[in-house]
Amino acid sequence: MPQPGVKSLQKIKVVLIGSNGLLGSDLSKTLRVNENIDLIPLNKKQCDVTNYKDVKKNLGKLNFDYLINAAAFAQVDLAEVEKDTCYLVNVQAVKNLIRISKKKNATIIHFSSDYVFDGKNNQPYQEDDLRLPLSVYGNSKKESEDIVTSYRKHYVLRTSWLFGKAKNNFVSKIKEKSEESITLTVVNDQIGSPTYTIDIGIFVGEIISKNIKEYGIYNITNEGFMSWYEFAKLILKLLNRKLEVNP
């Protein structure tokens, strides 16, 4: 029981959509241990964000201050084939989440991607650089940004080359490949900033805990840059695996 005259601190209620994905699972890990946050993680089975009736049913009964959208169709090549599914998850679902956020007067934190750009800059991208996506996936993320930024209480966090504790990311794939073969061939003409999902989670936790109101779009990555080829060589070095890697 709180002592007389001492006001108890009320935790900030946060709903996390896509809690079992690559990003969502590590967001869940970091936000659960944040003493200022009362986290409500939801996966696809618990709330189908592509269906507004399901969103209203499952989120309408909850009180929350922040809604984090970590759900996405992020398979870039497959999006060219499954365009409708990509837009359903990356665009329609975002419309649904904005509707419920407005009803709750909640702040939305939405994740976007470096794929909204064409990759032709020879220097790091700034938040207000011209967006010229070259793919279905990139265009779907651009549209999602436009939807989110139409609502005042928003954060759009653009990131890139995510890797983390969950499987099915570049680090885990290189590790698996290194156990199966003696040589690897990895793309060397794409440059980016590999970004650890745990670090993203810590950053998001700070935004929420400090109750920052500087809404807008932010480009968020770890420091440095390299090619996929260089990243693969670094992973193998850290794993102490002596494999030939061809660019």
PDB file of all heavy atoms in Angstrom, residues 18-26 70 166:
ATOM      1  N   GLY A  18       1.742  -7.346 -33.351  1.00  0.00           N
ATOM      2  CA  GLY A  18       2.799  -8.106 -34.010  1.00  0.00           C
ATOM      3  C   GLY A  18       3.871  -8.550 -33.041  1.00  0.00           C
ATOM      4  O   GLY A  18       5.060  -8.526 -33.342  1.00  0.00           O
ATOM      5  N   SER A  19       3.451  -9.028 -31.874  1.00  0.00           N
ATOM      6  CA  SER A  19       4.383  -9.288 -30.776  1.00  0.00           C
ATOM      7  C   SER A  19       5.243 -10.535 -30.967  1.00  0.00           C
ATOM      8  O   SER A  19       6.183 -10.751 -30.203  1.00  0.00           O
ATOM      9  CB  SER A  19       3.603  -9.426 -29.461  1.00  0.00           C
ATOM     10  OG  SER A  19       2.722 -10.536 -29.520  1.00  0.00           O
ATOM     11  N   ASN A  20       4.934 -11.372 -31.960  1.00  0.00           N
ATOM     12  CA  ASN A  20       5.730 -12.593 -32.132  1.00  0.00           C
ATOM     13  C   ASN A  20       6.626 -12.561 -33.369  1.00  0.00           C
ATOM     14  O   ASN A  20       7.209 -13.568 -33.750  1.00  0.00           O
ATOM     15  CB  ASN A  20       4.820 -13.825 -32.169  1.00  0.00           C
ATOM     16  CG  ASN A  20       3.804 -13.762 -33.294  1.00  0.00           C
ATOM     17  OD1 ASN A  20       3.647 -12.718 -33.941  1.00  0.00           O
ATOM     18  ND2 ASN A  20       3.106 -14.859 -33.547  1.00  0.00           N
ATOM     19  N   GLY A  21       6.748 -11.398 -34.020  1.00  0.00           N
ATOM     20  CA  GLY A  21       7.616 -11.264 -35.190  1.00  0.00           C
ATOM     21  C   GLY A  21       9.051 -10.982 -34.801  1.00  0.00           C
ATOM     22  O   GLY A  21       9.399 -10.919 -33.614  1.00  0.00           O
ATOM     23  N   LEU A  22       9.898 -10.799 -35.810  1.00  0.00           N
ATOM     24  CA  LEU A  22      11.316 -10.508 -35.574  1.00  0.00           C
ATOM     25  C   LEU A  22      11.484  -9.275 -34.695  1.00  0.00           C
ATOM     26  O   LEU A  22      12.183  -9.301 -33.673  1.00  0.00           O
ATOM     27  CB  LEU A  22      12.034 -10.297 -36.908  1.00  0.00           C
ATOM     28  CG  LEU A  22      13.448  -9.708 -36.848  1.00  0.00           C
ATOM     29  CD1 LEU A  22      14.378 -10.625 -36.075  1.00  0.00           C
ATOM     30  CD2 LEU A  22      13.983  -9.449 -38.244  1.00  0.00           C
ATOM     31  N   LEU A  23      10.849  -8.177 -35.069  1.00  0.00           N
ATOM     32  CA  LEU A  23      10.930  -6.938 -34.298  1.00  0.00           C
ATOM     33  C   LEU A  23      10.067  -7.017 -33.043  1.00  0.00           C
ATOM     34  O   LEU A  23      10.499  -6.673 -31.946  1.00  0.00           O
ATOM     35  CB  LEU A  23      10.512  -5.749 -35.162  1.00  0.00           C
ATOM     36  CG  LEU A  23      10.454  -4.382 -34.478  1.00  0.00           C
ATOM     37  CD1 LEU A  23      11.801  -4.009 -33.881  1.00  0.00           C
ATOM     38  CD2 LEU A  23       9.990  -3.319 -35.473  1.00  0.00           C
ATOM     39  N   GLY A  24       8.831  -7.477 -33.211  1.00  0.00           N
ATOM     40  CA  GLY A  24       7.877  -7.494 -32.103  1.00  0.00           C
ATOM     41  C   GLY A  24       8.318  -8.328 -30.919  1.00  0.00           C
ATOM     42  O   GLY A  24       8.106  -7.944 -29.762  1.00  0.00           O
ATOM     43  N   SER A  25       8.951  -9.469 -31.180  1.00  0.00           N
ATOM     44  CA  SER A  25       9.365 -10.341 -30.078  1.00  0.00           C
ATOM     45  C   SER A  25      10.439  -9.684 -29.216  1.00  0.00           C
ATOM     46  O   SER A  25      10.437  -9.824 -27.983  1.00  0.00           O
ATOM     47  CB  SER A  25       9.854 -11.691 -30.618  1.00  0.00           C
ATOM     48  OG  SER A  25      10.944 -11.519 -31.501  1.00  0.00           O
ATOM     49  N   ASP A  26      11.348  -8.935 -29.853  1.00  0.00           N
ATOM     50  CA  ASP A  26      12.382  -8.253 -29.070  1.00  0.00           C
ATOM     51  C   ASP A  26      11.866  -6.963 -28.439  1.00  0.00           C
ATOM     52  O   ASP A  26      12.333  -6.559 -27.363  1.00  0.00           O
ATOM     53  CB  ASP A  26      13.609  -7.974 -29.940  1.00  0.00           C
ATOM     54  CG  ASP A  26      14.474  -9.227 -30.103  1.00  0.00           C
ATOM     55  OD1 ASP A  26      14.253 -10.198 -29.363  1.00  0.00           O
ATOM     56  OD2 ASP A  26      15.366  -9.234 -30.976  1.00  0.00           O
ATOM     57  N   ALA A  70       4.138  -3.267 -34.841  1.00  0.00           N
ATOM     58  CA  ALA A  70       5.329  -3.981 -35.312  1.00  0.00           C
ATOM     59  C   ALA A  70       4.951  -5.070 -36.314  1.00  0.00           C
ATOM     60  O   ALA A  70       5.778  -5.904 -36.668  1.00  0.00           O
ATOM     61  CB  ALA A  70       6.078  -4.585 -34.139  1.00  0.00           C
ATOM     62  N   ALA A 166      15.179 -13.346 -32.522  1.00  0.00           N
ATOM     63  CA  ALA A 166      14.306 -14.268 -33.250  1.00  0.00           C
ATOM     64  C   ALA A 166      15.021 -14.819 -34.484  1.00  0.00           C
ATOM     65  O   ALA A 166      15.952 -14.207 -35.016  1.00  0.00           O
ATOM     66  CB  ALA A 166      13.015 -13.564 -33.659  1.00  0.00           C
TER      67      ALA A 166
END
